[in-house]
């Protein structure tokens, strides 16, 4: 028996013991996790700095703080969410009553990426725990320091038969995917998402796929140029652009392109300085492969700002590209780095048509004061989620489901949506044996007309 198979057996036994069904157990474990994160905050910050050169502020804002808030919300609400819910019953089922029982799937596998390596492993885990599952986390091999901290943290505070962290590369993922899990929650690229879904199909295991893609940012003619530029810079260059929901490319109304680009350059310099490598608040690119890939995307474009790169520190300055068309290398793949191609449009419906030629994006951002433009975009473009007049903030609320559509994923989570994702909804109709109506029995089959008056 392999180590993974032994771990699966232990988790199966733990799940079958029924402990996770108890809501007070779940609340206790969520509080232990909260406490473990508090006690190890410094270690988590250090690991995120080693992996991505994140500052403690950015690490708290986009990783630790989000997880803590999610845990707080789960602890407060899980009792209510886990209760069986009575729902209406059609009149022809009288005197029965109908209930939905949320129940855990069993053992969940959570595979996470390197760009927010703490948050994207622990936020889904919190939902899996709240819903009463055991879980195995497989964090990314590219954010090795954070993966190590995760492994140590869970080993210290949790029974591995309940929560395990298995570190390693894609081979480890492959070995895990060969096992029969009861739910798989994957965050990563569409290419690997297909591999995960194919592996899940072999066991008919349900999946959530949180994938990526090219998320457009549209800037309409009628907007506040200064604030638009500020919010685009903050959303694009946080984590040096290595954010699944970062604006991937800009589509700007030609009448405002020049002033917008001026203000974007102003805010890049204000936030990160002329030489971003010197700024302690500007992250690095995760590895040499991505560093080289990103520099390749700037070829044959006009660089309006940035373009500098420091191979020793693996830092690429915030870079704005123009003279781009849909065939440019930067428009062929998800950029996932601090490079922002700027394209123009004359007419909003043309911009929408160009966006709709591509797979459905994970996020979309529209800056506009014009309600007609807002309605046109919302009506005609399908995307996972997004913002009007802002970037990224739709991610940080428990009240909106976060997830993609089509090529950018399936399913969603955060808050109650995460609890629902990791719960099977068991439907139960409760009847009585005290009396009986004859309608369903063959002895009544001659009364079709009467049946039609009830079942219309
Ligand atoms: P990735 O798909 O390369 O890897 C993600 C995870 O899958 C890692 O743990 C990795 O070890 C594992 N993996 C890699 N190859 C595998 C294989 N052949 N079989 C099984 N598992 C395998 O993604 P990444 O480079 O870590 O992250 C970048 C991608 O993730 C981008 O596309 C980005 O948009 C997306 N992403 C999406 C979200 C979201 O919430 N929707 C969040 C962050 C990143």
């Amino acid at each position: 028996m392999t180590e993974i198979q032994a771990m699966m057996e232990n988790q199966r036994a733990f799940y079958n013991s029924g402990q996770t069904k108890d809501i007070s157990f779940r609340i206790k474990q969520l509080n232990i996790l909260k406490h473990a994160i508090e006690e190890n905050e410094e270690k988590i910050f250090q690991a995120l700095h080693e992996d991505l050169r994140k500052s403690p502020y950015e690490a708290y804002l986009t990783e630790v703080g989000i997880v803590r808030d999610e845990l707080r919300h789960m602890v407060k609400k899980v009792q209510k969410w886990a209760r069986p819910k009575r729902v209406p019953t059609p009149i022809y089922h009288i005197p029965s009553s109908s209930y939905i029982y949320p129940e855990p799937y069993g053992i969940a596998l959570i595979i996470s990426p390197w760009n927010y390596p703490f948050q994207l492993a622990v936020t889904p885990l919190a939902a899996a725990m709240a819903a009463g599952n055991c879980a195995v986390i497989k964090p990314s091999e590219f954010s090795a320091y954070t993966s190590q901290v995760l492994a140590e943290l869970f080993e210290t505070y949790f029974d591995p038969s309940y929560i395990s962290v298995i570190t390693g590369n894609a081979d480890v993922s492959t070995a895990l995917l060969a096992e029969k899990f009861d739910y798989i929650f994957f965050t990563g690229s569409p290419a690997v998402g297909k591999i995960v879904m194919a592996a899940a199909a072999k066991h008919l295991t349900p999946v959530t796929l949180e994938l990526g893609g090219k998320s457009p940012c549209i800037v309409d003619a009628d907007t506040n140029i200064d604030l638009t530029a500020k919010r685009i810079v903050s959303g694009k260059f946080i984590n040096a652009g290595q954010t699944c929901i970062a604006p991937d490319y800009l589509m700007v109304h030609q009448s405002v392109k020049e002033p917008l680009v001026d203000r974007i350059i102003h805010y890049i310099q204000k936030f990160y300085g002329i030489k971003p490598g010197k700024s302690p608040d500007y992250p690095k690119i995760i590895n040499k492969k991505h560093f080289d890939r990103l520099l390749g995307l700037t070829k044959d474009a006009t660089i309006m700002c940035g373009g500098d790169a420091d191979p020793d520190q693996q830092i690429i300055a915030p870079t704005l590209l123009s003279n781009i068309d849909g065939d440019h290398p930067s428009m062929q793949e998800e950029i996932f780095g601090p490079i922002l191609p700027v394209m123009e449009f004359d007419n909003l419906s043309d911009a929408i048509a160009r966006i709709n030629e591509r797979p459905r994006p994970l996020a979309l951002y529209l800056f506009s004061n014009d309600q007609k433009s807002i309605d046109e975009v919302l009506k005609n473009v399908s995307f996972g989620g997004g913002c009007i007049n802002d970037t990224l903030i739709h991610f940080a609320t428990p009240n909106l489901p976060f997830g993609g559509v089509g090529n950018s994923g399936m399913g969603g989570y955060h808050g109650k949506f995460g609890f629902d994702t990791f719960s099977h909804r068991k439907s139960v109709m409760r009847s009585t044996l005290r009396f009986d109506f004859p309608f369903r029995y063959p002895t009544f089959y001659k009364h079709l007309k009467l049946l039609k008056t009830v079942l219309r």
Side-chain angles (χ1 to χ4, degrees):
M1 189 188 291
T2 65
E3 222 175 287
I4 287 177
Q5 284 165 341
M7 176 205 66
M8 293 297 292
E9 270 203 4
N10 291 339
Q11 288 227 346
R12 189 65 65 196
F14 192 96
Y15 181 72
N16 287 343
S17 75
Q19 294 176 68
T20 66
K21 301 262 175 83
D22 182 0
I23 308 303
S24 58
F25 171 87
R26 300 184 202 176
I27 292 175
K28 186 173 164 208
Q29 299 299 324
L30 289 166
N31 278 324
I32 291 174
L33 180 52
K34 214 160 150 260
H35 171 71
I37 293 168
E38 274 157 28
E39 275 199 346
N40 290 275
E41 190 173 274
E42 239 355 273
K43 269 193 202 160
I44 298 166
F45 284 173
Q46 271 169 22
L48 290 168
H49 193 266
E50 291 291 342
D51 284 328
L52 285 148
R53 202 173 173 268
K54 290 193 193 199
S55 65
Y57 191 93
E58 189 167 322
Y60 192 85
L61 178 73
T62 63
E63 304 237 27
V64 176
I66 289 196
V67 169
R68 284 182 56 152
D69 196 54
E70 186 79 354
L71 283 167
R72 193 179 48 78
H73 189 71
M74 297 269 170
V75 166
K76 202 168 136 204
K77 301 279 184 174
V78 64
Q79 187 109 38
K80 184 173 166 215
W81 296 339
R83 252 181 237 144
K85 188 170 170 239
R86 187 167 179 170
V87 294
T89 303
I91 187 132
Y92 45 80
H93 284 307
I94 278 178
S96 303
S97 47
S98 310
Y99 302 86
I100 300 171
Y101 287 76
E103 69 171 18
Y105 277 106
I107 307 176
L109 171 63
I110 295 166
I111 302 179
S112 55
W114 51 260
N115 61 331
Y116 290 88
F118 182 75
Q119 194 250 113
L120 293 173
V122 185
T123 310
L125 174 73
M129 289 167 69
N133 298 272
C134 292
V136 176
I137 302 180
K138 207 307 271 169
S140 172
E141 62 275 32
F142 296 123
S143 44
Y145 288 94
T146 310
S147 297
Q148 191 51 36
V149 167
L150 285 169
E152 285 168 14
L153 188 141
F154 284 95
E155 210 177 289
T156 310
Y157 293 84
F158 291 89
D159 183 343
S161 307
Y162 172 44
I163 311 285
S164 277
V165 176
I166 309 278
T167 55
N169 59 15
D171 292 343
V172 173
S173 260
T174 307
L176 283 165
L177 287 168
E179 298 300 319
K180 182 174 169 23
F181 283 88
D182 302 304
Y183 202 87
I184 298 177
F185 189 101
F186 171 79
T187 307
S189 59
V192 178
K194 289 176 191 170
I195 296 172
V196 169
M197 198 168 171
K202 291 209 172 112
H203 298 293
L204 288 180
T205 301
V207 292
T208 292
L209 301 178
E210 295 281 342
L211 310 178
K214 291 186 81 62
S215 299
C217 176
I218 307 171
V219 181
D220 199 14
D222 178 6
T223 187
N224 172 336
I225 293 292
D226 185 70
L227 197 49
T228 297
K230 197 177 186 183
R231 290 181 176 176
I232 289 172
V233 170
S234 122
K236 174 67 189 183
F237 299 109
I238 197 161
N239 203 21
Q242 301 166 107
T243 304
C244 56
I245 48 170
D248 185 275
Y249 60 98
L250 279 190
M251 300 208 82
V252 187
H253 192 273
Q254 47 88 14
S255 65
V256 293
K257 181 183 165 195
E258 244 185 73
L260 181 78
V261 167
D262 275 359
R263 293 319 283 167
I264 289 180
I265 294 172
H266 165 82
Y267 281 112
I268 287 174
Q269 293 179 349
K270 184 166 175 178
F271 294 165
Y272 304 111
I274 310 282
K275 290 237 172 285
K278 303 255 182 290
S279 161
D281 297 326
Y282 189 66
K284 66 170 183 152
I285 304 305
I286 186 73
N287 57 32
K288 176 92 174 59
K289 186 176 147 220
H290 277 287
F291 179 83
D292 292 341
R293 176 186 67 80
L294 285 164
L295 290 182
L297 300 182
T298 62
K299 294 222 169 83
D300 301 326
T302 303
I303 296 181
M304 295 186 288
C305 161
D308 312 316
D310 174 349
D312 297 331
Q313 291 195 85
Q314 270 170 217
I315 287 176
I316 298 177
T319 298
L320 284 190
L321 304 181
S322 74
N323 276 339
I324 299 290
D325 61 21
D327 297 328
H328 187 264
S330 66
M331 292 304 292
Q332 300 311 303
E333 58 186 85
E334 181 182 358
I335 294 174
F336 219 51
I339 294 167
L340 186 59
V342 183
M343 292 184 290
E344 297 175 25
F345 68 88
D346 276 336
N347 175 320
L348 188 58
S349 48
D350 290 345
I352 289 174
R354 277 153 69 192
I355 290 168
N356 284 341
E357 279 167 12
R358 298 177 176 277
R360 291 189 262 176
L362 181 59
L364 179 142
Y365 305 106
L366 168 65
F367 286 87
S368 179
N369 286 320
D370 182 353
Q371 190 58 43
K372 262 206 208 138
S373 300
I374 296 171
D375 292 343
E376 190 178 344
V377 169
L378 292 183
K379 187 172 166 206
N380 294 304
V381 189
S382 174
F383 54 93
C387 309
I388 307 296
N389 295 327
D390 216 323
T391 56
L392 311 193
I393 58 167
H394 65 293
F395 182 89
T397 159
N399 302 321
L400 288 173
F402 178 76
V405 56
N407 205 61
S408 55
M410 59 185 73
Y413 70 130
H414 287 183
K416 168 88 160 49
F417 304 102
F419 176 90
D420 289 345
T421 283
F422 284 98
S423 302
H424 164 60
R425 284 176 298 280
K426 190 157 75 182
S427 298
V428 175
M429 204 179 267
R430 184 173 179 152
S431 193
T432 177
L433 295 171
R434 280 197 218 116
F435 55 92
D436 193 26
F437 290 120
F439 313 117
R440 77 178 80 173
Y441 304 117
T443 43
F444 205 77
Y445 280 12
K446 52 188 181 266
H447 300 295
L448 180 60
K449 247 196 195 154
L450 182 62
L451 176 66
K452 282 186 174 175
T453 63
V454 184
L455 205 58
R456 281 170 291 164

